[in-house]
Amino acid sequence: METALTKLVGVRHPVVQTGMGWVAGPRLVSATANAGALGILASATMTATELRRAVREVKSRTGAPFGVNLRADAADARERVRIIVDEGVRVASFALAPSRELIAELKDAGVVVIPSIGARRHAEKVAAWGADAVIVQGGEGGGHTGDVATTVLLPQVVDAVDIPVIAAGGFHDGRGLVAALAYGAAGVAMGTRFLLTSDSTVPDPVKAKYLEATVKDVTVTTAVDGLPHRMLRTDLVTALESAGRVRALTHAIRRASAFRKISGLTWAQLVRDGLATKHGKNLTWSQTLLAANTPMLLRASMVEGRTDLAVMASGQVAGVIEDLPSCEELVTRVMDEAARVLAALPSAQRIPFPSSGVDDP
């Protein structure tokens, strides 16, 4: 299936595996790439040295195009951009809008720039700055999310920009791909669906929690870091929602200390990251610290396998996913189902649309 996305990045199928922290590592990304979709390596939870090592591991596992997800506001963002350019990575994606200068630097080096956005105005801004495409995530998507449904946000963005739009938030199968194409998208991006594959390194007990979840077990809360965050409801979420300020601050400091040791950040850098998140938002200090070390909360589940005191970011589609296929099986299934759905659609020539009478002779 050829679309503006497949032509832009050189993959066989218009499917993207999103850059999920602690999840989208070399194994998942290379398996996705070998399946003909676009795998995106998550770098926010890596040091620059680890990122270069991870990129080289992906390259040793596949010759297909792949991407790297960056934090545009990271202190070492330009160093990471140089790694992407030096290593010949095809795509750079961003969770936050990159600057005009950063986009230009990447494009001058031949890198395709695809920011993720959650509002029409953000898409218009990055398109004006030269982004090659955008990933549009509706409120059904996992992690930090907005409150506008994909079915409303997607057509808004498609109408607003003249670059390829990739739909995210609520997609997991071939029917969703066909629906996204009907809205005018060039493909779909999926996070939770790729997390729940046999190629994902997420521990089995955590995968089991996702598979057990119903759509009502996936909640949006501001208790973790003060921002709307879609995740599975866990003991941690319930505790934070009911905790007083002192208890929440104590918990945040303990988690921040652990993340600081793993990440190599200083307390000053950790607080700076938290304040950057706090800017323009009415966050408590405990939420500010939690915002800075949310990666640690994710690591507890996605790496350590903690299902009790951890954050498990999740799209709402977790409630309808029931198996763990390989990436190859998943992508093949999505594309085969999309082909069947397209073939089953009634031909426009055979549909007896009633005339409005406006243009009748």
Side-chain angles (χ1 to χ4, degrees):
M1 182 183 290
E2 186 178 79
T3 71
L5 170 62
T6 62
K7 289 187 283 188
L8 177 65
V9 300
V11 294
R12 300 197 309 274
H13 307 302
V15 176
V16 178
Q17 162 255 302
T18 59
M20 300 164 282
W22 305 115
V23 177
R27 190 170 96 179
L28 181 62
V29 172
S30 57
T32 301
N34 285 329
L38 179 66
I40 297 181
L41 190 68
S43 79
T45 51
M46 302 177 185
T47 64
T49 300
E50 289 170 339
L51 171 58
R52 189 181 292 275
R53 188 182 306 127
V55 167
R56 290 180 175 176
E57 183 177 345
V58 175
K59 290 166 63 178
S60 73
R61 291 168 174 257
T62 183
F66 66 96
V68 170
N69 181 261
L70 304 171
R71 274 188 57 177
D73 62 340
D76 60 352
R78 291 200 174 275
E79 179 184 357
R80 292 168 185 263
V81 165
R82 291 314 313 168
I83 292 173
I84 287 175
V85 173
D86 292 346
E87 297 294 335
V89 175
R90 178 62 177 154
V91 174
S93 76
F94 292 88
L96 297 173
S99 66
R100 186 193 301 266
E101 293 73 24
L102 209 56
I103 292 175
E105 183 177 344
L106 286 160
K107 286 173 66 71
D108 287 346
V111 180
V112 175
V113 180
I114 308 179
S116 294
I117 58 93
R120 180 178 62 183
R121 66 183 185 277
H122 298 154
E124 292 171 333
K125 179 173 68 174
V126 296
W129 287 353
D132 296 292
V134 288
I135 295 176
V136 177
Q137 178 175 305
E140 300 93 323
H144 291 118
T145 192
D147 55 5
V148 180
T150 303
T151 51
V152 175
L153 180 61
L154 177 58
Q156 274 192 320
V157 176
V158 168
D159 290 344
V161 300
D162 59 1
I163 57 177
V165 175
I166 303 157
F171 297 98
H172 67 103
D173 60 10
R175 294 174 298 176
L177 173 58
V178 173
L181 296 175
Y183 274 112
V188 295
M190 305 187 296
T192 305
R193 177 64 274 194
F194 276 102
L195 183 156
L196 293 173
T197 61
S198 60
D199 294 304
S200 163
T201 57
V202 171
D204 289 342
V206 175
K207 289 181 180 178
K209 282 291 184 182
Y210 278 92
L211 293 176
E212 292 169 5
T214 69
V215 291
K216 292 186 178 180
D217 295 321
V218 186
T219 187
V220 176
T221 183
T222 59
V224 172
D225 54 16
L227 304 172
H229 205 149
R230 187 177 289 283
M231 60 186 69
L232 295 189
R233 176 162 290 283
T234 63
D235 293 343
L236 172 65
V237 173
T238 301
L240 288 175
E241 288 179 341
S242 61
R245 289 199 171 195
V246 173
R247 182 181 172 192
L249 182 59
T250 301
H251 179 87
I253 291 173
R254 185 170 65 251
R255 287 288 185 178
S257 178
F259 179 56
R260 187 181 67 84
K261 292 176 182 177
I262 289 176
S263 65
L265 295 174
T266 65
W267 276 109
Q269 290 171 318
L270 199 63
V271 172
R272 184 207 65 208
D273 284 353
L275 289 173
T277 303
K278 183 181 176 71
H279 179 68
K281 303 177 181 70
N282 186 27
L283 304 187
T284 65
W285 276 107
S286 60
Q287 289 171 332
T288 299
L289 273 178
L290 282 167
N293 74 98
T294 295
M296 186 61 189
L297 299 173
L298 289 165
R299 185 183 190 277
S301 56
M302 303 308 164
V303 177
E304 298 171 7
R306 295 292 300 270
T307 59
D308 51 351
L309 298 176
V311 162
M312 287 183 267
S314 176
Q316 216 165 6
V317 294
V320 296
I321 294 174
E322 300 177 342
D323 60 354
L324 299 170
S326 67
C327 288
E328 179 69 36
E329 291 167 340
L330 172 61
V331 174
T332 298
R333 179 195 303 174
V334 168
M335 298 312 302
D336 285 350
E337 184 178 26
R340 290 195 302 272
V341 171
L342 284 170
L345 291 176
S347 169
Q349 286 78 21
R350 295 199 303 267
I351 300 177
F353 289 110
S355 171
S356 67
V358 174
D359 296 321
D360 285 352

